[in-house]
Amino acid sequence: MKKLIEKIQKLLDKAESTNSEAEAQAFFMKAQELMAKNNLEMKDISKKEKKRDVAEADVTSGKKATAKRWLRLASIIGENFKVEPAVQRGRGIFFIGLETDLIIATKVFKSAEAFMEKRRGQVYRKAQKEGIPTKGLREAWEMGFLDGLDENFKRNVEEKALMIVKPQELIEHLEKQNFGTRSVSGKVNNMEAYNEGLQDGRGFNRMIKSFKGKGRVKFVNSRIDNSFKVIL
């Protein structure tokens, strides 16, 4: 077990020191995989015992901060990286969780966000060039990609027998809050674009190396009016 913990510590150190978002994500995801597979938590990995405070990390902002694609993406990542996604009017989407889980989840979100923005543009321009109708094309690709990404993460969990359990500190924190709920749905109008997105989502881990995430993790500890905070 000692050697395993040292290996995870080295992966986290490499993730923090690299300037490449793709490399950082790969190191963080490998560390998360080993921790989940062996039912380890950050308190087992830390070289020094630290107080495990629940914090928040913003992941979107601006006019399209709560677009359906980002709400769904946050929900998928929340299910697979031990954080709780939430949205607040005027703020955007943010994750709630322990610091290391927030760092991993946010980096994965940013990588997927950057990939989606670039790839859906490529798909749209290709359709335009080939004279293919583009109505609803980007939305259909997004839905396909997110379905594929969801399958991708679930398959990874099943194949590697991982245990994705949210920390007790987070569970207790959420129980004290007065959160509402919000559902995200949509309709596919272009099956060809949807299927292309589905394949992109299923192969996301292989394709991410050519796309870089953006931005840094911003931790927020201020109090918020719960009437505006909604769990996805």
Side-chain angles (χ1 to χ4, degrees):
M1 182 63 72
K2 183 179 179 181
K3 289 185 178 181
L4 174 63
I5 290 176
E6 289 176 351
K7 182 177 181 179
I8 295 172
Q9 288 172 340
K10 288 180 181 179
L11 287 168
L12 293 173
D13 289 341
K14 288 180 180 179
E16 290 290 349
S17 61
T18 182
N19 292 321
S20 167
E21 287 288 346
E23 288 183 359
Q25 183 202 331
F27 289 134
F28 273 122
M29 291 186 72
K30 184 61 179 178
Q32 189 263 355
E33 174 189 317
L34 291 174
M35 289 170 68
K37 191 171 184 178
N38 293 278
N39 198 25
L40 293 172
E41 296 185 5
M42 197 57 206
K43 65 180 180 181
D44 304 314
I45 305 302
S46 298
K47 296 175 183 178
K48 292 182 180 180
E49 187 67 28
K50 296 182 180 179
K51 185 178 179 181
R52 287 157 49 98
D53 292 329
V54 174
E56 298 171 358
D58 292 324
V59 290
T60 66
S61 61
K63 294 181 179 180
K64 297 183 179 180
T66 57
K68 284 184 178 181
R69 59 183 180 276
W70 305 140
L71 292 171
R72 176 87 192 286
L73 175 60
S75 180
I76 292 170
I77 290 176
E79 290 176 3
N80 291 279
F81 292 91
K82 299 190 291 186
V83 297
E84 195 71 31
V87 60
Q88 181 192 11
R89 187 169 58 196
R91 176 182 178 182
I93 300 170
F94 56 98
F95 288 138
I96 307 170
L98 301 183
E99 183 172 336
T100 301
D101 294 331
L102 288 173
I103 291 172
I104 296 172
T106 303
K107 283 184 176 290
V108 175
F109 183 98
K110 291 296 184 182
S111 294
E113 177 187 39
F115 179 89
M116 288 178 70
E117 288 284 25
K118 187 169 184 177
R119 181 66 177 141
R120 76 188 195 117
Q122 291 175 339
V123 172
Y124 185 83
R125 289 190 294 274
K126 179 183 176 183
Q128 280 185 317
K129 187 176 180 180
E130 296 177 354
I132 298 173
T134 57
K135 184 177 180 180
L137 184 145
R138 281 177 288 204
E139 292 78 7
W141 180 88
E142 291 164 1
M143 292 180 67
F145 175 81
L146 292 169
D147 282 348
L149 185 66
D150 195 24
E151 287 182 19
N152 190 344
F153 285 140
K154 287 178 179 177
R155 183 176 64 250
N156 187 55
V157 168
E158 292 174 0
E159 290 178 352
K160 298 178 180 178
L162 305 181
M163 293 179 63
I164 308 300
V165 180
K166 290 182 178 176
Q168 187 61 33
E169 293 92 335
L170 174 58
I171 294 172
E172 292 175 357
H173 174 81
L174 295 174
E175 288 175 348
K176 297 175 183 177
Q177 309 305 312
N178 182 26
F179 291 151
T181 59
R182 178 173 178 175
S183 61
V184 182
S185 61
K187 183 179 179 181
V188 176
N189 295 316
N190 188 317
M191 285 307 300
E192 185 175 345
Y194 173 86
N195 288 328
E196 187 167 357
L198 189 66
Q199 295 306 312
D200 286 342
R202 288 171 174 168
F204 177 67
N205 290 347
R206 297 190 301 274
M207 302 175 75
I208 190 58
K209 292 182 179 180
S210 62
F211 294 86
K212 292 186 177 181
K214 54 185 179 180
R216 294 184 176 182
V217 179
K218 178 183 178 183
F219 292 103
V220 182
N221 296 308
S222 59
R223 294 181 62 83
I224 300 168
D225 183 347
N226 286 332
S227 63
F228 294 153
K229 192 185 289 183
V230 183
I231 293 296
L232 301 177

